[in-house]
């Protein structure tokens, strides 16, 4: 159970990032999929991660220290809010720099134990999401896992939710707005980050 969290720092690339003292959870997905909103919802804090209606607002690699407990044992993990894929209105050169920095970070940051791949539940078969999923499979180490999380489930009816569950057996359907699916996701993030 997550009971507290705080913002630590932001970095442009892995060479600037602080050494890791804890296991890490990386949140990634295309711009405006709801990464910051989900981090806030999981940590039960409204303005921990800065969310915006403008795609591409997150341009740095943002670190949060998350305080957890499980069966009276207390421990900490890091949540990492990454820049969105499909970056909004920025220059080609800026996109190239972001891509290089992200690629190096995801490949070389050995303390990442869990990737949370966020997909907008209203648009489940976008090429960009498929590409990110395939990319993660190419870099995944034996001690890492991927959770596929479909956001904004409050926008779906029951039939649409059922279809996602049929098509994606391992799917988590969540809504930061009405808290749907958050308790199960929070529990599994903690368990899988710690290697259970």
């Amino acid at each position: 159970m997550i009971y507290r969290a705080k913002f630590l720092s932001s970095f442009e690339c892995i060479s600037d990032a602080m050494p890791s003292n804890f296991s890490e959870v990386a949140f990634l997905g295309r711009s405006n999929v709801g990464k910051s909103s989900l981090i806030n919802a999981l940590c039960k804090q409204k303005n921990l991660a800065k969310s915006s209606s403008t795609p591409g607002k997150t341009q740095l690699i943002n670190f949060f220290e998350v305080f957890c407990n499980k069966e009276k044992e207390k421990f900490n993990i890091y949540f990492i809010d990454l820049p969105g894929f499909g970056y909004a209105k920025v220059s080609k050169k800026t996109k190239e720099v972001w891509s290089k920095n992200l690629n190096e970070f995801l490949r070389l940051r050995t303390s990442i134990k869990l990737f949370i791949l966020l997909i907008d539940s209203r648009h489940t078969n976008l090429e960009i999401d498929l590409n990110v999923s395939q990319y993660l499979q190419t870099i995944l180490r034996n001690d890492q896992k991927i959770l596929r999380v479909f956001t904004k489930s409050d926008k779906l009816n029951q039939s649409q939710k059922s279809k996602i569950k049929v098509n994606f057996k391992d799917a988590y359907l969540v809504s930061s707005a009405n808290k749907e699916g958050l308790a199960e996701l929070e529990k599994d993030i903690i368990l899988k980050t710690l290697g259970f």
Side-chain angles (χ1 to χ4, degrees):
M1 173 105 181
I2 295 169
Y3 65 90
R4 188 161 69 89
K6 66 178 181 179
F7 171 74
L8 286 179
S9 194
S10 299
F11 307 96
E12 283 191 6
C13 56
I14 191 167
S15 59
D16 298 332
M18 60 194 177
S20 180
N21 301 317
F22 308 113
S23 296
E24 297 174 350
V25 181
F27 291 75
L28 66 166
R30 65 186 179 86
S31 294
N32 213 28
V33 75
K35 293 185 303 298
S36 300
S37 296
L38 180 59
I39 289 172
N40 289 339
L42 287 169
C43 295
K44 304 162 188 78
Q45 292 178 226
K46 284 186 177 179
N47 299 306
L48 179 67
K50 303 303 180 198
S51 59
S52 170
S53 59
T54 305
K57 188 73 172 175
T58 302
Q59 299 183 8
L60 298 171
I61 299 167
N62 297 307
F63 276 73
F64 303 89
E65 186 171 359
V66 179
F67 300 81
C68 312
N69 59 33
K70 180 182 179 292
E71 296 171 0
K72 298 184 180 180
E73 180 185 352
K74 293 188 176 182
F75 53 91
N76 296 6
I77 58 179
Y78 287 158
F79 277 5
I80 306 169
D81 188 10
L82 297 165
F85 291 90
Y87 324 104
K89 297 174 182 176
V90 295
S91 69
K92 184 179 179 183
K93 184 174 182 180
T94 300
K95 285 184 182 181
E96 289 172 355
V97 171
W98 283 354
S99 294
K100 176 179 178 291
N101 288 342
L102 263 181
N103 183 48
E104 287 181 349
F105 184 84
L106 293 173
R107 286 180 177 275
L108 302 177
R109 187 77 177 180
T110 56
S111 39
I112 296 175
K113 300 302 179 188
L114 190 62
F115 294 104
I116 307 293
L117 175 57
L118 277 67
I119 299 166
D120 189 322
S121 61
R122 300 166 297 177
H123 311 288
T124 59
N125 291 301
L126 295 181
E127 185 178 0
I128 189 169
D129 291 330
L130 180 61
N131 290 342
V132 174
S133 180
Q134 290 173 341
Y135 165 78
L136 285 177
Q137 292 294 341
T138 67
I139 67 168
L140 201 67
R141 302 189 313 266
N142 289 336
D143 65 335
Q144 293 177 319
K145 293 182 176 67
I146 302 169
L147 296 187
R148 189 164 18 196
V149 176
F150 291 82
T151 62
K152 307 181 184 182
S153 63
D154 56 296
K155 310 290 188 186
L156 305 182
N157 61 37
Q158 200 55 50
S159 173
Q160 291 168 320
K161 291 177 184 178
S162 297
K163 186 176 179 182
I164 288 177
K165 290 178 179 177
V166 167
N167 291 335
F168 304 94
K169 303 293 187 191
D170 60 347
Y172 292 81
L173 268 169
V174 303
S175 167
S176 299
N178 68 12
K179 314 303 182 199
E180 179 183 356
L182 292 182
E184 180 190 7
L185 179 60
E186 177 185 354
K187 176 185 167 189
D188 284 358
I189 284 174
I190 291 170
L191 291 175
K192 293 180 188 302
T193 303
L194 297 178
F196 292 102

